[in-house]
Amino acid sequence: MKQSRIIALVVALLLIVTACSSGDSESTTTTAGDTGDTTTTSTGSDDTTTTSGDSGEAVEIRWFIGLGAGGQPEQRDAQIAVVDAFNASQDEIVLVPEIVENDVAYETLATQIASGNGPDIIGPVGRDGSNAFAGLYLDIEPYINEAGVSLDRWSGAAVEGQREGDGTLVGLPFASFPSAIYFNRDMFDAAGLPYPPQEYPDSGVATYGEGTEYEGPWDYAKVQEIGQILSVDSNGVYGDEDGYDRSNAVEFGFVFQWTDRLFQQGSYWGGGYPLASNGEADIPQVWEDEWQWYHDAVWEYGFAPSQEQLDALGNAFQTGNVAMAATHLWYTCCIADAANDLAGDFWDYGIMPANPNTGEVTANLHADTFRILADTEHPAEAFEVLWYLVTDAALDLLTAYGAAPADVSLTDAFIANLEAQYPQGVNWDVVLAGAEHSEVPSHEAFLPGWEP
């Protein structure tokens, strides 16, 4: 596995004309052609001095930023301030940031690694970005044990979600994005339907509509039942009535909002890994069951939009014409739209439904973190920096990235910002609780042949 990735990186090196390298003590800037646009920046404060660990002086640790978040100009100052604070706090490590725009980050990092000039730390980056370099990351569990640090600030599920398929722990929780059901209060009220449950039970499956005619397990079968009632076509016929024309639907009961990859949707019914130990494809049965359910939701019952209908809707849930959307916390970015006078004040959170066949509840978890390259010459010092980034520096960085903290002690400040944007009384505890129901293995686990 690792050998194949190295070969790929060497190929990338041959395709790129200019290799990027960091200087010893001065900042460098590389610009693209005649446009003058900055594509790569390796920068630190003006008074930063870097020295070699071989001389017995401070060890230089290079932090590569931009493979995920961090490459935007408005985030630069916050990152540099974090670096300066770390460097001022001690004299054994000099942290040197290398800030790279996202559209050239993969090629730049591939070149550095293939030329033997890879950085020490990469991030923040999710699995989608980091999978391109799978097999090249340091297992940090021995360094956690050696440092004697406590992981109690994070949930056990969040920590386990940072493991690779082989069990190695390559990161610690930083930015957490659990999933939940976003539901349209106005559509539920108009239909006289109870809202989705807003609390995960200690055990078993939550009950929908307790004490009403709709009472039953909160699972995807119930989502179908309620979703049909909440769908309506252009003739005013509802989805649970004879004559409903799904091809001319104008309101829908359910959608997977911006979650279109099959393994993402399938894992809402349970975690799995689509590769057998012998290297052959092995699709988890729970994924196949979900795929069939969603196919029927679109093409047989019509309470979920087809791709053509999704294209027409655009930002589907934001339009106010979709009753329920399953997606992640990051979607709070995009419900309100001041430019189009959309306040986004019509929604709230419900818990994720259960798999109707197994009773298992899964709330997929997206997570960004920092990773250390396995061939770093200074793994202990790199881990010390990583620990600083996910603890002492976390809130400043999360604020700059607009990301929710995986460390629950930092959530109050984050929620305060969201409440200012959505003052209608959103139950934020619902989505945060979803982190305890994430799927293992992750739906973003590395797969052979992964392309960035």
Side-chain angles (χ1 to χ4, degrees), residues 415-436:
I415 295 302
N417 291 334
L418 286 177
E419 286 181 335
Q421 185 178 10
Y422 299 108
Q424 68 263 29
V426 174
N427 190 334
W428 302 106
D429 290 340
V430 174
V431 67
L432 297 177
E436 293 295 335

mmCIF file of all heavy atoms in Angstrom, residues 415-436:
data_model
loop_
_atom_site.group_PDB
_atom_site.id
_atom_site.type_symbol
_atom_site.label_atom_id
_atom_site.label_comp_id
_atom_site.label_asym_id
_atom_site.label_seq_id
_atom_site.Cartn_x
_atom_site.Cartn_y
_atom_site.Cartn_z
ATOM 1 N N ILE A 415 -21.530 27.925 19.625
ATOM 2 C CA ILE A 415 -22.988 27.971 19.573
ATOM 3 C C ILE A 415 -23.493 29.406 19.669
ATOM 4 O O ILE A 415 -24.481 29.778 19.024
ATOM 5 C CB ILE A 415 -23.600 27.112 20.691
ATOM 6 C CG1 ILE A 415 -23.251 25.634 20.471
ATOM 7 C CG2 ILE A 415 -25.102 27.308 20.769
ATOM 8 C CD1 ILE A 415 -23.713 25.074 19.155
ATOM 9 N N ALA A 416 -22.825 30.228 20.459
ATOM 10 C CA ALA A 416 -23.235 31.632 20.577
ATOM 11 C C ALA A 416 -23.202 32.322 19.220
ATOM 12 O O ALA A 416 -24.096 33.120 18.891
ATOM 13 C CB ALA A 416 -22.332 32.357 21.566
ATOM 14 N N ASN A 417 -22.203 32.015 18.423
ATOM 15 C CA ASN A 417 -22.129 32.601 17.089
ATOM 16 C C ASN A 417 -23.267 32.102 16.194
ATOM 17 O O ASN A 417 -23.859 32.870 15.433
ATOM 18 C CB ASN A 417 -20.783 32.263 16.442
ATOM 19 C CG ASN A 417 -19.623 32.970 17.106
ATOM 20 O OD1 ASN A 417 -19.793 34.034 17.692
ATOM 21 N ND2 ASN A 417 -18.444 32.383 17.022
ATOM 22 N N LEU A 418 -23.585 30.807 16.291
ATOM 23 C CA LEU A 418 -24.673 30.266 15.489
ATOM 24 C C LEU A 418 -26.027 30.819 15.921
ATOM 25 O O LEU A 418 -26.901 31.075 15.087
ATOM 26 C CB LEU A 418 -24.682 28.740 15.595
ATOM 27 C CG LEU A 418 -23.581 27.998 14.844
ATOM 28 C CD1 LEU A 418 -23.685 26.502 15.116
ATOM 29 C CD2 LEU A 418 -23.662 28.261 13.348
ATOM 30 N N GLU A 419 -26.206 31.008 17.216
ATOM 31 C CA GLU A 419 -27.485 31.538 17.700
ATOM 32 C C GLU A 419 -27.717 32.965 17.226
ATOM 33 O O GLU A 419 -28.863 33.385 17.028
ATOM 34 C CB GLU A 419 -27.534 31.458 19.223
ATOM 35 C CG GLU A 419 -27.730 30.035 19.730
ATOM 36 C CD GLU A 419 -27.810 29.954 21.245
ATOM 37 O OE1 GLU A 419 -27.259 30.859 21.905
ATOM 38 O OE2 GLU A 419 -28.398 28.984 21.755
ATOM 39 N N ALA A 420 -26.639 33.707 17.051
ATOM 40 C CA ALA A 420 -26.778 35.061 16.514
ATOM 41 C C ALA A 420 -27.262 35.014 15.065
ATOM 42 O O ALA A 420 -27.996 35.899 14.602
ATOM 43 C CB ALA A 420 -25.447 35.801 16.615
ATOM 44 N N GLN A 421 -26.862 33.975 14.353
ATOM 45 C CA GLN A 421 -27.261 33.829 12.951
ATOM 46 C C GLN A 421 -28.653 33.227 12.818
ATOM 47 O O GLN A 421 -29.419 33.591 11.923
ATOM 48 C CB GLN A 421 -26.240 32.961 12.210
ATOM 49 C CG GLN A 421 -26.497 32.836 10.722
ATOM 50 C CD GLN A 421 -25.436 32.023 10.022
ATOM 51 O OE1 GLN A 421 -24.594 31.398 10.656
ATOM 52 N NE2 GLN A 421 -25.469 32.018 8.699
ATOM 53 N N TYR A 422 -28.978 32.279 13.726
ATOM 54 C CA TYR A 422 -30.272 31.585 13.680
ATOM 55 C C TYR A 422 -30.950 31.725 15.045
ATOM 56 O O TYR A 422 -30.888 30.817 15.887
ATOM 57 C CB TYR A 422 -30.068 30.107 13.331
ATOM 58 C CG TYR A 422 -29.434 29.892 11.981
ATOM 59 C CD1 TYR A 422 -28.109 29.460 11.871
ATOM 60 C CD2 TYR A 422 -30.148 30.117 10.810
ATOM 61 C CE1 TYR A 422 -27.528 29.250 10.630
ATOM 62 C CE2 TYR A 422 -29.572 29.917 9.562
ATOM 63 C CZ TYR A 422 -28.258 29.487 9.481
ATOM 64 O OH TYR A 422 -27.684 29.289 8.252
ATOM 65 N N PRO A 423 -31.631 32.850 15.287
ATOM 66 C CA PRO A 423 -32.180 33.126 16.620
ATOM 67 C C PRO A 423 -33.544 32.488 16.880
ATOM 68 O O PRO A 423 -34.162 32.770 17.902
ATOM 69 C CB PRO A 423 -32.292 34.655 16.612
ATOM 70 C CG PRO A 423 -32.539 35.002 15.175
ATOM 71 C CD PRO A 423 -31.756 34.000 14.371
ATOM 72 N N GLN A 424 -34.019 31.608 15.992
ATOM 73 C CA GLN A 424 -35.375 31.077 16.133
ATOM 74 C C GLN A 424 -35.509 30.030 17.224
ATOM 75 O O GLN A 424 -36.610 29.578 17.524
ATOM 76 C CB GLN A 424 -35.857 30.481 14.806
ATOM 77 C CG GLN A 424 -35.139 29.219 14.358
ATOM 78 C CD GLN A 424 -34.027 29.480 13.362
ATOM 79 O OE1 GLN A 424 -33.423 30.551 13.373
ATOM 80 N NE2 GLN A 424 -33.772 28.521 12.488
ATOM 81 N N GLY A 425 -34.386 29.643 17.849
ATOM 82 C CA GLY A 425 -34.451 28.649 18.909
ATOM 83 C C GLY A 425 -34.120 27.259 18.419
ATOM 84 O O GLY A 425 -34.908 26.320 18.616
ATOM 85 N N VAL A 426 -32.974 27.099 17.798
ATOM 86 C CA VAL A 426 -32.532 25.794 17.310
ATOM 87 C C VAL A 426 -32.033 24.950 18.482
ATOM 88 O O VAL A 426 -31.334 25.443 19.362
ATOM 89 C CB VAL A 426 -31.410 25.963 16.261
ATOM 90 C CG1 VAL A 426 -30.838 24.609 15.858
ATOM 91 C CG2 VAL A 426 -31.935 26.713 15.036
ATOM 92 N N ASN A 427 -32.386 23.669 18.479
ATOM 93 C CA ASN A 427 -31.930 22.756 19.519
ATOM 94 C C ASN A 427 -30.559 22.212 19.121
ATOM 95 O O ASN A 427 -30.440 21.145 18.514
ATOM 96 C CB ASN A 427 -32.932 21.612 19.695
ATOM 97 C CG ASN A 427 -32.646 20.769 20.921
ATOM 98 O OD1 ASN A 427 -31.513 20.691 21.382
ATOM 99 N ND2 ASN A 427 -33.680 20.137 21.455
ATOM 100 N N TRP A 428 -29.519 22.945 19.465
ATOM 101 C CA TRP A 428 -28.162 22.578 19.061
ATOM 102 C C TRP A 428 -27.679 21.285 19.715
ATOM 103 O O TRP A 428 -26.807 20.600 19.171
ATOM 104 C CB TRP A 428 -27.195 23.718 19.390
ATOM 105 C CG TRP A 428 -27.574 25.010 18.731
ATOM 106 C CD1 TRP A 428 -28.121 26.109 19.324
ATOM 107 C CD2 TRP A 428 -27.461 25.336 17.336
ATOM 108 N NE1 TRP A 428 -28.352 27.094 18.401
ATOM 109 C CE2 TRP A 428 -27.957 26.648 17.175
ATOM 110 C CE3 TRP A 428 -26.985 24.642 16.224
ATOM 111 C CZ2 TRP A 428 -27.992 27.280 15.937
ATOM 112 C CZ3 TRP A 428 -27.021 25.269 14.989
ATOM 113 C CH2 TRP A 428 -27.520 26.568 14.852
ATOM 114 N N ASP A 429 -28.256 20.943 20.857
ATOM 115 C CA ASP A 429 -27.847 19.716 21.539
ATOM 116 C C ASP A 429 -28.089 18.487 20.667
ATOM 117 O O ASP A 429 -27.382 17.480 20.784
ATOM 118 C CB ASP A 429 -28.604 19.552 22.857
ATOM 119 C CG ASP A 429 -28.187 20.567 23.908
ATOM 120 O OD1 ASP A 429 -27.080 21.126 23.762
ATOM 121 O OD2 ASP A 429 -28.952 20.787 24.857
ATOM 122 N N VAL A 430 -29.083 18.565 19.784
ATOM 123 C CA VAL A 430 -29.422 17.420 18.948
ATOM 124 C C VAL A 430 -28.263 17.049 18.041
ATOM 125 O O VAL A 430 -27.835 15.891 17.985
ATOM 126 C CB VAL A 430 -30.678 17.719 18.104
ATOM 127 C CG1 VAL A 430 -30.941 16.582 17.119
ATOM 128 C CG2 VAL A 430 -31.884 17.928 18.998
ATOM 129 N N VAL A 431 -27.746 18.030 17.326
ATOM 130 C CA VAL A 431 -26.682 17.722 16.368
ATOM 131 C C VAL A 431 -25.382 17.375 17.087
ATOM 132 O O VAL A 431 -24.637 16.491 16.658
ATOM 133 C CB VAL A 431 -26.481 18.875 15.370
ATOM 134 C CG1 VAL A 431 -25.929 20.119 16.027
ATOM 135 C CG2 VAL A 431 -25.593 18.443 14.208
ATOM 136 N N LEU A 432 -25.104 18.040 18.205
ATOM 137 C CA LEU A 432 -23.882 17.731 18.941
ATOM 138 C C LEU A 432 -23.919 16.301 19.494
ATOM 139 O O LEU A 432 -22.900 15.612 19.533
ATOM 140 C CB LEU A 432 -23.681 18.738 20.068
ATOM 141 C CG LEU A 432 -23.471 20.201 19.625
ATOM 142 C CD1 LEU A 432 -23.357 21.109 20.842
ATOM 143 C CD2 LEU A 432 -22.245 20.337 18.739
ATOM 144 N N ALA A 433 -25.110 15.854 19.911
ATOM 145 C CA ALA A 433 -25.247 14.495 20.440
ATOM 146 C C ALA A 433 -25.014 13.447 19.363
ATOM 147 O O ALA A 433 -24.695 12.290 19.673
ATOM 148 C CB ALA A 433 -26.630 14.306 21.057
ATOM 149 N N GLY A 434 -25.149 13.841 18.116
ATOM 150 C CA GLY A 434 -24.944 12.894 17.034
ATOM 151 C C GLY A 434 -23.537 12.332 16.983
ATOM 152 O O GLY A 434 -23.316 11.247 16.431
ATOM 153 N N ALA A 435 -22.564 13.049 17.560
ATOM 154 C CA ALA A 435 -21.182 12.567 17.554
ATOM 155 C C ALA A 435 -21.043 11.224 18.259
ATOM 156 O O ALA A 435 -20.133 10.451 17.967
ATOM 157 C CB ALA A 435 -20.262 13.597 18.211
ATOM 158 N N GLU A 436 -21.947 10.931 19.194
ATOM 159 C CA GLU A 436 -21.888 9.656 19.914
ATOM 160 C C GLU A 436 -22.467 8.498 19.108
ATOM 161 O O GLU A 436 -22.468 7.359 19.575
ATOM 162 C CB GLU A 436 -22.640 9.780 21.243
ATOM 163 C CG GLU A 436 -21.982 10.730 22.233
ATOM 164 C CD GLU A 436 -20.620 10.231 22.693
ATOM 165 O OE1 GLU A 436 -20.387 8.997 22.646
ATOM 166 O OE2 GLU A 436 -19.780 11.063 23.075
#
